[in-house]
C-alpha cells in the first residue's frame, strides 16, 4: 500500500551525526519521493550548523520541503496531539512521546513504526535488520531498520543525483573556484590536499610532524571545531577560520563549518579525507577518495569491532592487500590502537587506495539507497 507521509523524531545526543542523518533522510523523502515529512528535533542550534537558514527560535518552520518542529524528549514533557503520519521513525532509539504512541494505536490504519539504528559494518546487522518487535501493551509493531554495507541491510543514504553532482563539480573549474572562495582557501599547486574532520585525537601531533617533515607539500584544511582547536595547540597559535599557518612542508588552514551540501564538495575536492562519526564517514565513501575514519568512541571500546568490521569489508572489496594493510595500520593508529600513525606507508598506497575506494563505492551503490529501501520496506508493512 502506498505511503505518503512521515514523522521523523530526532534527539541530538552530541555532535552533528544524529541530526545530520535525519535531515538528510527527511530532505530525500520530501524532494525525491514527494512525500510529506515532519522532522521533530530537540536542538535547533546544532541543526543550524548544517542548515544555516534554520530559525533557532521557531517551534515550527518549513525548510527544503520539510516541516521542522521542535519537541522535548523528556518523558514528562507535554506533547500536543497530532495525527500521526503513515510512517513514524524514532531515530537511534529515541523514545516517542506517549501521546503520539496512543494516537498511533488508535489510528484506523496503523502507522509503520521504525527504529532507525546506527550504522555498522558488522555481520550481525543483516540478521537483525527488519526484525519486528510487538509493543507490550498497544496494538503496534516496531521494526528495526539498520543501515549497512551488505545485502540484507538497509544500505546507505545516497541521494539519487549525488554521483552526477560530483561529476559535474569535478568537471567544472568554476564550481571548484566557488568552493575555495567560499572557504577562503587558496589551493596550493602540487600539494596533497587533505580535509581533517576529527575528534580530539592523541595521534594528531605525530601526523602533523610527519607532514611538516615530509618531502611532499601537504595542504590540510581543518573545519572549525575539535581538531582545529587541537591543531592550534600544536601550532602554538589558535587556528581561526581563514588563517593559514606553514610549518615545513605542511600548510594548515582552518575553514568555516559549512552547510551539509558544501561539505560534500570539500570531500570531492580533496585527495584524502579524514572523517569522523557516521554521516561524514558515509559521505567520504561517495567521494571515492582515500579516507581515514575516526570512529565515534563508545564505552568499553565497543567501537573497535565496528571499525574492524568496516576495515574487513574494504579489504574484501578487491583492493590490493598492501593498500588495505596500510589503511588498516594507519586507521588503528588514528583511533588509538597501538603505535603512532605511519604516514609514509599510507602515502605510498594512496594511488591504490584511490582506485580501491572508487571500486568499493560502486559496489556499495548496488545496495540501493537507504531512503528508497526504507520506502519499499514500509510500503510492504502498512496495513
Ligand atoms: O558530528 P559527529 O561526530 O556525529 C556523531 C556520530 O554520528 C556518531 O555516530 C553519533 O553516535 C554521535 O554523533 C551522537 O559526526 P558525523 O556523523 O560525521 O556528523 C557530522 C555532520 O556534520 C555530517 O552530517 C556532515 C556535517 N558537516 C557539515 O555539514 N559541514 C561541515 O563543515 C562539516 C565538517 C560537517
Amino acid at each position: 500500500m502506498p505511503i505518503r507521509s512521515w514523522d521523523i523524531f530526532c534527539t541530538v545526543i552530541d555532535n552533528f551525526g544524529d541530526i545530520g542523518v535525519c535531515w538528510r533522510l527527511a530532505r530525500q523523502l520530501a524532494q525525491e519521493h514527494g512525500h510529506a515529512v515532519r522532522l521533530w528535533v530537540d536542538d535547533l542550534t546544532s541543526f543550524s550548523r548544517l542548515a544555516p537558514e534554520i530559525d533557532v527560535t521557531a517551534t515550527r518552520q518549513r525548510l527544503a520541503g520539510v516541516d521542522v518542529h521542535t519537541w522535548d524528549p523528556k518523558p514528562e514533557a507535554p506533547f500536543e496531539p497530532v495525527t500521526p503520519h503513515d510512517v513514524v521513525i524514532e531515530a537511534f532509539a529515541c523514545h516517542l512521546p506517549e501521546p503520539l504512541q496512543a494516537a498511533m494505536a488508535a489510528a484506523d490504519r496503523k502507522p509503520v513504526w521504525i527504529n532507525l539504528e546506527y550504522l555498522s559494518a558488522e555481520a550481525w546487522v543483516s540478521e537483525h535488520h527488519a526484525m519486528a518487535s510487538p509493543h507490550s501493551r498497544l496494538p503496534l509493531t516496531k521494526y528495526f531498520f539498520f543501515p549497512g554495507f551488505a545485502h540484507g541491510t538497509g544500505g546507505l543514504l545516497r541521494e539519487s543525483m549525488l554521483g552526477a553532482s560530483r561529476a559535474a563539480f569535478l568537471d567544472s573549474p568554476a564550481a571548484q573556484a566557488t568552493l575555495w572562495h567560499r572557504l577562503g582557501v587558496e589551493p596550493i599547486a602540487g600539494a596533497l590536499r587533505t580535509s581533517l574532520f576529527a575528534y580530539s585525537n592523541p595521534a594528531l601531533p605525530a601526523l602533523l610532524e610527519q607532514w611538516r617533515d615530509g618531502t611532499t607539500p601537504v595542504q590540510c584544511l581543518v573545519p572549525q571545531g575539535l581538531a582545529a582547536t587541537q591543531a592550534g595547540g600544536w601550532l602554538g597559535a589558535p587556528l581561526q577560520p581563514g588563517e593559514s599557518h606553514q610549518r615545513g612542508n605542511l600548510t594548515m588552514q582552518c575553514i568555516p563549518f559549512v552547510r551539509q551540501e558544501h561539505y560534500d564538495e570539500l570531500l570531492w575536492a580533496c585527495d584524502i579525507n579524514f572523517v569522523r562519526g557516521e554521516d561524514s564517514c558515509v559521505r567520504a565513501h561517495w567521494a571515492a577518495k582515500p579516507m581515514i575514519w575516526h570512529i565515534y568512541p563508545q564505552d568499553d571500546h565497543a567501537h573497535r569491532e565496528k571499525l574492524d568490521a568496516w576495515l574487513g569489508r574494504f579489504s574484501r572489496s578487491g583492493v590490493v592487500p598492501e593498500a588495505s594493510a596500510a589503511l588498516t595500520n594507519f586507521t588503528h593508529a588514528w583511533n588509538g590502537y597501538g603505535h603512532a600513525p605511519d604516514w609514509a606507508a599510507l602515502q605510498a598506497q594512496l594511488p591504490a587506495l584511490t582506485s580501491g575506494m572508487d571500486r568499493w563505492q560502486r559496489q556499495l551503490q548496488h545496495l540501493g539507497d537507504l531512503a528508497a529501501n526504507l520506502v519499499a520496506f514500509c510500503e510492504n508493512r502498512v496495513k
Side-chain angles (χ1 to χ4, degrees):
M1 206 188 283
I3 48 160
R4 305 287 308 154
S5 61
W6 302 71
D7 281 304
I8 303 176
F9 283 81
C10 174
T11 52
V12 175
I13 307 288
D14 59 3
N15 303 316
F16 305 105
D18 305 293
I19 184 58
V21 168
C22 291
W23 175 228
R24 203 179 282 296
L25 173 64
R27 268 180 301 164
Q28 213 183 335
L29 291 169
Q31 294 172 1
E32 294 186 14
H33 296 268
H35 293 178
V37 184
R38 237 173 355 207
L39 174 60
W40 301 82
V41 188
D42 67 337
D43 175 357
L44 292 181
T45 304
S46 295
F47 192 176
S48 68
R49 300 291 304 281
L50 315 182
E53 312 84 327
I54 282 285
D55 175 353
V56 295
T57 63
T59 53
R60 290 175 180 206
Q61 58 197 301
R62 193 169 167 85
L63 190 64
V66 175
D67 289 313
V68 177
H69 292 226
T70 54
W71 73 302
D72 183 344
K74 285 195 281 306
E76 68 282 7
F79 184 81
E80 247 178 64
V82 291
T83 307
H85 279 328
D86 297 341
V87 183
V88 178
I89 298 179
E90 54 176 38
F92 314 120
C94 70
H95 187 76
L96 292 183
E98 294 293 336
L100 183 81
Q101 292 186 36
M104 289 163 68
D108 288 341
R109 193 174 96 153
K110 307 276 181 273
V112 183
W113 183 349
I114 297 286
N115 179 12
L116 177 63
E117 286 284 353
Y118 283 114
L119 172 67
S120 174
E122 291 163 288
W124 60 262
V125 166
S126 308
E127 288 150 37
H128 288 74
H129 174 63
M131 262 174 45
S133 163
H135 197 284
S136 55
R137 281 179 297 110
L138 301 171
L140 293 169
T141 301
K142 177 170 15 183
Y143 296 94
F144 292 88
F145 198 92
F146 280 87
F149 294 84
H151 288 289
T153 72
L156 301 169
L157 277 170
R158 186 174 194 279
E159 297 82 2
S160 60
M161 293 306 290
L162 189 67
S165 304
R166 174 175 168 266
F169 175 84
L170 293 177
D171 254 5
S172 165
Q176 292 166 38
T178 303
L179 171 71
W180 299 133
H181 178 72
R182 180 181 301 120
L183 297 176
V185 167
E186 196 66 57
I188 301 176
L192 188 89
R193 202 178 302 128
T194 76
S195 73
L196 179 64
F197 183 43
Y199 306 111
S200 295
N201 189 330
L204 181 61
L207 176 62
L208 297 182
E209 281 160 23
Q210 291 172 55
W211 280 344
R212 178 194 64 197
D213 302 336
T215 51
T216 307
V218 172
Q219 183 171 25
C220 176
L221 305 175
V222 198
Q224 258 176 310
L226 297 172
T229 304
Q230 196 190 354
W234 181 80
L235 289 163
L239 197 53
Q240 309 285 3
E243 279 181 9
S244 185
H245 295 257
Q246 191 166 358
R247 298 286 185 277
N249 248 341
L250 166 65
T251 306
M252 282 207 94
Q253 182 168 346
C254 180
I255 53 174
F257 197 96
V258 289
R259 56 180 309 115
Q260 226 179 18
E261 298 87 329
H262 293 157
Y263 180 59
D264 277 329
E265 294 182 349
L266 175 68
L267 297 174
W268 301 339
C270 286
D271 301 305
I272 174 167
N273 294 304
F274 288 70
V275 292
R276 74 180 204 193
E278 169 165 342
D279 193 49
S280 56
C281 173
V282 172
R283 305 315 281 184
H285 287 75
W286 305 139
K289 296 285 179 62
M291 57 179 283
I292 303 296
W293 188 16
H294 194 185
I295 193 168
Y296 184 74
Q298 287 175 268
D299 292 341
D300 304 327
H301 288 253
H303 53 280
R304 172 75 194 256
E305 284 177 27
K306 276 175 119 170
L307 190 65
D308 283 338
W310 176 76
L311 287 165
R313 286 199 185 275
F314 179 55
S315 74
R316 295 189 295 278
S317 68
V319 62
V320 295
E322 297 77 15
S324 166
L327 182 79
T328 298
N329 283 337
F330 193 96
T331 304
H332 281 164
W334 191 241
N335 284 275
Y337 298 113
H339 47 88
D342 183 349
W343 170 249
L346 186 77
Q347 190 183 3
Q349 297 299 331
L350 286 182
L353 286 170
T354 305
S355 47
M357 277 306 298
D358 189 43
R359 184 189 304 104
W360 195 30
Q361 62 94 19
R362 286 171 201 272
Q363 293 167 7
L364 292 172
Q365 288 181 38
H366 292 302
L367 303 176
D369 84 80
L370 185 142
N373 293 342
L374 187 57
V375 170
F377 179 86
C378 293
E379 284 186 343
N380 285 329
R381 276 158 189 87
V382 76
K383 300 206 175 78

